[in-house]
Amino acid sequence: MNKEIQEIIERLHQNHSLELTEYKMLLDNISPEISEHLANLARVQQKQIYSNKIYIRGLIEISNICKNDCLYCGIRRSNKSCSRYRLTSEEILDCCEHGYGLGFRTFVLQGGEDSYFTDDVLCKLIKEIKEKYSDCAITLSLGERSYESYKALKEAGADRYLLRHETATKEHYEGLHPKEMSFDTRMECLKNLKALGYQVGCGFMVGSPYQTNLEIARDLKFIEEFQPDMCGIGPFIPQKDTPFGKESAGTLELTCYLLSILRLIKPNLLLPSTTALGTISPKGREMGILAGANVVMPNLSPMSAREKYTLYDNKSYLGAESAQCVKELADKMVSIGYEIVTDRGDIKL
Ligand code: SAM
């Protein structure tokens, strides 16, 4: 490893901050040796704060109906091949009941931007979940909403909100989204969520179309400055019925490299090893943990919904990706020296 890169990594390790050009240098000089060095440093940080504990979240995909038309996403509104569904509040509560019994203490309600889920519907649902499972956290991932809406959902009991920024470069954002969607609105939403006191998650796809190392470096600098509580990154994977259906997927290697860098940027970050990572490689989930991730989000949705929440092709939802198979996941974690825990899994401050 050359001396300059070694010094950059040392600065990142000590100060949790780099110049944009330094992040870019790390990306321009990827090698197996540097990856391993970063992963070793990242694991030390992860273990210092979270020991060998892995937090689990039960992911409930509440609807694949979406008013948006993101060019990369399989549930975009113009995808006529997507068979649409929406879970009822009763079905969502059933998922929580089932998940609670399996040891989940965080429920993530994720979905497309479906106008059925008004503040009234969601607030009622959030209150019901919180009444039944007062020791659980609720994470929402339901896209862009107004400040007032985020406020109402927070007051109803939501604890966390995941809204990937997708890319910190405005022109890149415009290449991935239709004209009616705006980079500034996305960023505004993230600021509002933070101001309202949510534990906030941002994030981006690795290897999305038009993304170069400069865009990724800007993502890293944005994350360093925004200081989210959670950060979801996973490889972009093409979905055949979208405009990017023939693009190539992001890689396991680059995603793991970035997970390690993120752990060094913010040592206490809640960092999932994502389903997309588990989809591109059978060992993806484990590799993500070994690179510094400390969260996994197995699928708790009803089986019929899982087949339809097709953000990308061949999305995994069985085996260790399935909440029902939490034992299999637990064994996999043990095999690499980690342990899943029954815990809300809040950020350690
Ligand atoms: N509608 C909500 C939102 O916009 O945040 C949540 C659902 S959205 C489908 C969740 C995330 O899936 C997006 O933020 C995006 O990064 C990811 N995603 C969508 N299509 C993808 C693809 N083809 N490959 C990998 N990730 C994808």
Side-chain angles (χ1 to χ4, degrees), residues 24 62 92 117 125 130 136 155 158 214 246 313 323 326 340:
K24 180 146 182 315
I62 67 171
I92 297 168
F117 286 102
L125 177 63
K130 281 289 193 171
C136 290
E155 284 167 0
L214 180 58
K246 294 209 158 39
D313 292 332
V326 71
I340 61 169

Side-chain angles (χ1 to χ4, degrees), residues 12 16 38-39 41-47 49-50 229 257-272 289 291-295:
L12 175 63
H16 315 297
L38 283 168
L41 294 174
R43 278 200 300 274
V44 171
Q45 300 276 325
Q46 169 209 49
K47 290 204 169 153
I49 297 171
Y50 293 104
D229 303 285
Y257 194 81
L258 292 169
L259 285 170
S260 301
I261 294 177
L262 287 170
R263 175 63 63 211
L264 297 179
I265 290 177
K266 188 164 162 69
N268 64 346
L269 194 60
L270 294 168
L271 194 56
I289 301 290
N294 68 326
V295 174

